[in-house]
Amino acid sequence: MHDVAITGTGVFTPSQVISNQELVVAFNKYADLWNAENAAAIEAGMVEAKTHSSSDFIVAASGIESRYVLDKEGILDPSRMFPQLDGRSDDEPGYMAEIGCDAAQKALAMAGRSAADVDLVICAASNMERAYPAIGVEIQQLLGAGGFAFDMNVACSSATFGIQTATDMIRSGSIQSALVINPEICSAHLEWRDRDCHFIFGDVATAAFLERNEGLARDHFKVLSTRCATQFSNNIRNNNGYLRRTHDRMEDRRDMQFMQNGRKVFKEVLPLVSQHIADHLADTGVEASTLRRLWLHQANKTMNDYIGKKVLGRTPEPDEQPNILQDYANTSSAGSIIAFSKYSNDLDNGDRGLICSFGAGYSVGSVIVEKG
Ligand code: COA
């Protein structure tokens, strides 16, 4: 068995930002337009008028202040409310491959490695832009890497499940290194016209390079232990797939985008995640009090505050549990890796931390690391 380390991480951040204020102005214009168009039906009590969104609600309910997106114009156009990301031709790189490559190259540069050092590419994300060929294989080709590649989807937990998969292969000796890449174009599977969730997501891509921990000259994080768990729930769901019910028109199906029962998610996922982390730490013999930092999934500030307090048994200092969701919003599987990538350089040798992501499935994945 071989020891494994994360030697590089990378983040692709889109250049376009939408503040809560801009988002709410666009949403409210859309709601006014819709109400005007449906005035007679509203008057007759056949449909409910759409109510305005509010920046204050968004910050208070989620902690989100802005989000990065690949196309701001289409999202903020009140007559469209959807990014203008036309499907690419078969001869062009896909969007996910393009942004995934950017993050992967940054991770390789940090690790001091090149594409020739990559044995495996896993594209682990919550939604794929096509069924096949795998996005991972396209990224492998764009990078010029050898070996093999595949896609995996465990929604918001995809990154940690990908890290466990890569770690197990490196440990067993079937590969020496892997890139786990999380391109998340959440803006393309979010219903921007739904007030309850229009503020939740943003776009980003992250990557982590893992390799055998043998004679590493550079800074790295040893992977001490990984653990994944799932428990079926319909409370976060997207029904977009290849089956249709007779006479259904895709554009009439709200369930073809992200749907959630946010309150239930809140109530059910928090105990699941807290217990998962407690069990993982206990079984690995790592005391929570020795953890220098938690890099948690970035969906909701209140959720992270709760989990941090449960894990450490006290309110974590901001530097012990850094949040990035105020700037990036929820970026699905990428969130905990953005936090890890941006807030890990200052740790000292021997410092331990925990990466944890959770979400639809339900699913939860945790990775205990130690700076080496
Ligand atoms: N602007 C203003 N008011 C809004 C609003 C908006 N954009 N969206 C909802 N509201 C209103 C609701 O209509 C409701 O009004 P009411 O009390 O009069 O009925 C009130 O605000 C509370 O709505 P609710 O949906 O219960 O809010 P919440 O406090 O549960 O927060 C979430 C909503 C989604 C932010 C929160 O439930 C959450 O983060 N859940 C977990 C999400 C999660 O982790 N999901 C995983 C995704 S991968």
Side-chain angles (χ1 to χ4, degrees):
M1 295 290 256
H2 301 277
D3 285 341
V4 182
I6 300 173
T7 53
T9 55
V11 180
F12 163 82
T13 302
S15 59
Q16 303 178 40
V17 190
I18 300 179
S19 68
N20 284 348
Q21 197 49 39
E22 290 173 300
L23 186 73
V24 165
V25 167
F27 178 89
N28 292 350
K29 274 192 194 150
Y30 153 75
D32 292 344
L33 278 173
W34 192 91
N35 289 342
E37 277 166 20
N38 294 279
I42 295 168
E43 181 79 12
M46 288 156 63
V47 289
E48 272 189 33
K50 293 201 184 288
T51 33
H52 279 186
S53 183
S54 110
S55 295
D56 289 346
F57 171 85
I58 295 171
V59 176
S62 69
I64 295 166
E65 293 167 20
S66 61
R67 69 283 297 137
Y68 293 95
V69 293
L70 291 182
D71 176 61
K72 178 172 178 170
E73 198 181 325
I75 294 167
L76 293 186
D77 175 353
S79 63
R80 180 180 171 96
M81 305 288 280
F82 196 70
Q84 304 179 79
L85 300 174
D86 289 340
R88 294 255 170 98
S89 82
D90 292 359
D91 300 325
E92 298 170 284
Y95 292 102
M96 288 180 72
E98 205 168 75
I99 66 174
C101 256
D102 182 286
Q105 275 156 349
K106 287 172 179 152
L108 285 175
M110 182 177 165
R113 301 292 186 193
S114 73
D117 300 310
V118 178
D119 290 348
L120 164 66
V121 173
I122 301 178
C123 176
S126 59
N127 216 331
M128 300 298 164
E129 111 190 33
R130 63 165 181 268
Y132 47 81
I135 312 286
V137 178
E138 189 181 6
I139 296 175
Q140 175 198 13
Q141 192 221 26
L142 289 171
L143 289 172
F148 63 107
F150 57 88
D151 292 350
M152 56 187 283
N153 174 353
V154 201
C156 289
S157 302
S158 299
T160 47
F161 277 56
I163 288 174
Q164 166 153 321
T165 306
T167 298
D168 288 350
M169 286 194 203
I170 297 169
R171 276 201 210 292
S172 72
S174 64
I175 57 170
Q176 293 204 24
S177 68
L179 270 169
V180 179
I181 306 175
N182 323 106
E184 291 287 5
I185 308 181
C186 301
S187 65
H189 49 106
L190 174 62
E191 178 49 272
W192 295 91
R193 296 170 299 182
D194 182 341
R195 188 182 75 131
D196 288 350
C197 66
H198 76 119
F199 54 89
I200 288 183
F201 288 111
D203 300 333
V204 80
T206 52
F209 184 68
L210 292 90
E211 59 184 303
R212 247 183 223 181
N213 186 4
E214 279 166 20
L216 293 175
R218 296 194 172 216
D219 278 358
H220 57 273
F221 279 90
K222 295 175 203 165
V223 179
L224 297 184
S225 175
T226 62
R227 180 171 290 189
C228 299
T230 49
Q231 181 184 302
F232 187 71
S233 166
N234 274 322
N235 286 325
I236 314 170
R237 190 165 172 126
N238 180 336
N239 278 331
N240 201 357
Y242 56 83
L243 298 181
R244 298 279 180 276
R245 290 182 292 226
T246 323
H247 307 309
D248 269 351
R249 283 170 8 118
M250 166 100 172
E251 53 271 34
D252 296 335
R253 292 274 305 272
R254 170 65 187 89
D255 63 330
M256 294 301 205
Q257 305 280 57
F258 165 84
M259 303 265 290
Q260 78 164 347
N261 186 335
R263 279 281 158 116
K264 279 200 178 154
V265 173
F266 221 106
K267 248 177 99 175
E268 294 173 5
V269 166
L270 287 177
L272 197 73
V273 173
S274 309
Q275 195 58 50
H276 174 94
I277 295 175
D279 292 346
H280 188 188
L281 291 173
D283 294 347
T284 316
V286 172
E287 290 283 338
S289 58
T290 66
L291 291 176
R292 175 75 182 79
R293 193 158 291 163
L294 306 173
W295 300 279
L296 299 181
H297 176 48
Q298 303 284 317
N300 182 292
K301 184 173 182 306
T302 313
M303 271 175 130
N304 283 8
D305 289 349
Y306 178 97
I307 293 167
K309 201 169 172 180
K310 270 267 174 207
V311 172
L312 298 187
R314 59 179 169 79
T315 303
E317 298 298 328
D319 133 276
E320 290 177 310
Q321 186 206 292
N323 282 333
I324 54 86
L325 61 83
Q326 63 282 2
D327 304 320
Y328 281 84
N330 183 343
T331 47
S332 198
S333 70
S336 57
I337 306 300
I338 305 174
F340 177 65
S341 184
K342 289 190 184 289
Y343 296 98
S344 51
N345 285 347
D346 59 320
L347 263 57
D348 295 323
N349 278 2
D351 280 349
R352 289 178 172 178
L354 176 116
I355 304 169
C356 180
S357 56
F358 46 87
Y362 297 131
S363 56
V364 48
S366 48
V367 182
I368 304 172
V369 294
E370 182 181 295
K371 183 84 183 276

